[in-house]
Amino acid sequence: MTLALYRYHLPFTQPLTFHGKVEVAREGLLVRIGDGWGEIAPLPGFSRETLAEAQTETLACLAQLARGQTIAPTLPSVQFGLDCARRHWPAQTASLPEPYPLIQGSPQELLKHWKEWLHQTPNKAKLKVARYPMRDELALIRLLLDRRPTLKLVLDANQGWTREEAWAFCGHLDPNRIEYLEDLCASFDDIAFVAARTGMPVALDELLTRGEPWQPIPQLKALVLKPMLLGALANSEALVARARELRLKVIVSSCFESGVGLGQLARLAGEWAPDQAPGLDTRRWMTGDLLDKQGQPDLSLLEPLFHRD
């Protein structure tokens, strides 16, 4: 059985900021076990492990597999990638709703050039907030909603606000025009407080990856799952089961993976939430991809780290 590990480097089309850290490229690993592939790509600013730590653990796991031993990875990205590489993937029977676009950039730039991209925006789009002055972000949201009366926005604050800031921001919005506001604050109690007082529909994301306690509240509409951060696929599957029990939407979301990981996330979304548009609109922020014309990893674009037949 072939065991292999490769490293990749994919430049972004423009510098992107992750929790205050500016990145110019996405770096990660592709692991091969037999005919199966998986992606291991900790997201800077979000993952608790570094790429170097993930690489060290993956190499140790592959060496154990080569000796016929059982592996027990502990790092989330390594758990996810190895699970994908060893998974028996069922046939994909239905096509997913189109991923909704992710709008990124400063409010000033987006407001300046809105005519160039707003006409391409469908009835749902995602916008990062809690990154720029509140008045600028609110001005952009008002323009979007005024120009597109059918548009609903997904807003993602990445836990960037205090309770008071989130309350003030939500007070300027019509909850009926917001699909949900994701990760208002770092604390679930603060999220619940603001949601109850403003009627704003909310979703949980980073809270889930940290394994922190939460409970259903009337304003909770969705669980956003980032399998690269959640680790073993069983962790995501447990959250899917909980969401179904509570009748919450499940949104499978990417961590700026390459085409290998994005393809697998799309297949997982087809299994876990076939009626929901996934949050996978990150490929356009990459200058290239790692897949050849047959949809297989192009080894000429990868740096080999380990190989055993």
Side-chain angles (χ1 to χ4, degrees), residues 238-284:
L239 288 168
V240 171
R242 181 74 171 134
R244 287 174 178 164
E245 178 187 333
L246 297 173
R247 298 188 177 183
L248 302 175
K249 295 178 182 177
V250 169
I251 311 297
V252 176
S253 183
S254 67
C255 289
F256 288 83
E257 290 87 352
S258 75
V260 176
L262 285 175
Q264 292 177 332
L265 290 173
R267 297 186 71 175
L268 290 171
E271 293 179 45
W272 297 341
D275 57 338
Q276 292 297 325
L280 305 180
D281 183 47
T282 51
R283 191 191 302 265
R284 63 194 176 97

Side-chain angles (χ1 to χ4, degrees), residues 13 37 66 85 105 122 135 148 161 182 199 201 245 257 264 307-308:
T13 56
W37 288 87
R135 65 179 181 276
R148 290 295 299 268
W161 288 319
E182 188 179 325
E245 178 187 333
E257 290 87 352
Q264 292 177 332
H307 191 280
R308 191 75 53 84

Side-chain angles (χ1 to χ4, degrees), residues 24-225:
V24 298
R26 190 70 170 104
E27 294 187 301
L29 307 167
L30 296 185
V31 61
R32 181 180 177 186
I33 301 177
D35 292 328
W37 288 87
E39 182 160 350
I40 298 169
L43 185 62
F46 290 85
S47 293
R48 62 180 175 86
E49 73 272 23
T50 65
L51 181 57
E53 291 168 340
Q55 180 174 313
T56 298
E57 183 171 82
T58 306
L59 287 169
C61 287
L62 290 176
Q64 288 176 296
L65 287 173
R67 295 191 296 267
Q69 298 173 338
T70 301
I71 60 172
T74 61
L75 300 178
S77 62
V78 180
Q79 293 174 338
F80 171 68
L82 291 174
D83 273 4
C84 286
R86 296 189 292 174
R87 191 174 197 254
H88 174 70
W89 293 89
Q92 202 163 9
T93 56
S95 59
L96 283 167
E98 278 293 311
Y100 47 87
L102 171 63
I103 300 170
Q104 289 209 131
S106 74
Q108 291 91 339
E109 281 300 306
L110 292 170
L111 283 165
K112 184 178 177 182
H113 300 291
W114 68 268
K115 287 184 180 179
E116 298 173 14
W117 53 267
L118 184 58
H119 70 280
Q120 300 174 345
T121 303
N123 291 331
K124 181 178 176 180
K126 182 172 182 176
L127 178 67
K128 294 284 188 177
V129 293
R131 296 183 172 197
Y132 299 95
M134 191 177 294
R135 65 179 181 276
D136 296 340
E137 292 184 338
L138 288 169
L140 175 59
I141 291 169
R142 277 193 292 270
L143 179 139
L144 288 169
L145 297 179
D146 287 346
R147 300 287 177 174
R148 290 295 299 268
T150 60
L151 178 67
K152 271 206 166 186
L153 286 175
V154 171
L155 304 177
D156 185 359
N158 287 127
Q159 302 185 345
W161 288 319
T162 64
R163 175 187 291 199
E164 292 72 24
E165 289 168 337
W167 194 357
F169 190 92
C170 292
H172 291 280
L173 300 177
D174 177 0
N176 296 313
R177 299 298 305 277
I178 306 301
E179 181 93 2
Y180 53 77
L181 210 165
E182 188 179 325
D183 282 348
L184 289 76
C185 310
S187 154
F188 179 77
D189 287 344
D190 287 344
I191 292 172
F193 178 92
V194 174
R197 281 153 183 79
T198 63
M200 185 61 61
V202 297
L204 303 179
D205 179 354
E206 293 181 57
L207 214 74
L208 305 176
T209 65
R210 296 201 306 268
E212 294 189 14
W214 58 276
Q215 54 268 353
I217 56 175
Q219 296 78 23
L220 181 60
K221 303 302 179 184
L223 300 184
V224 180
L225 307 187

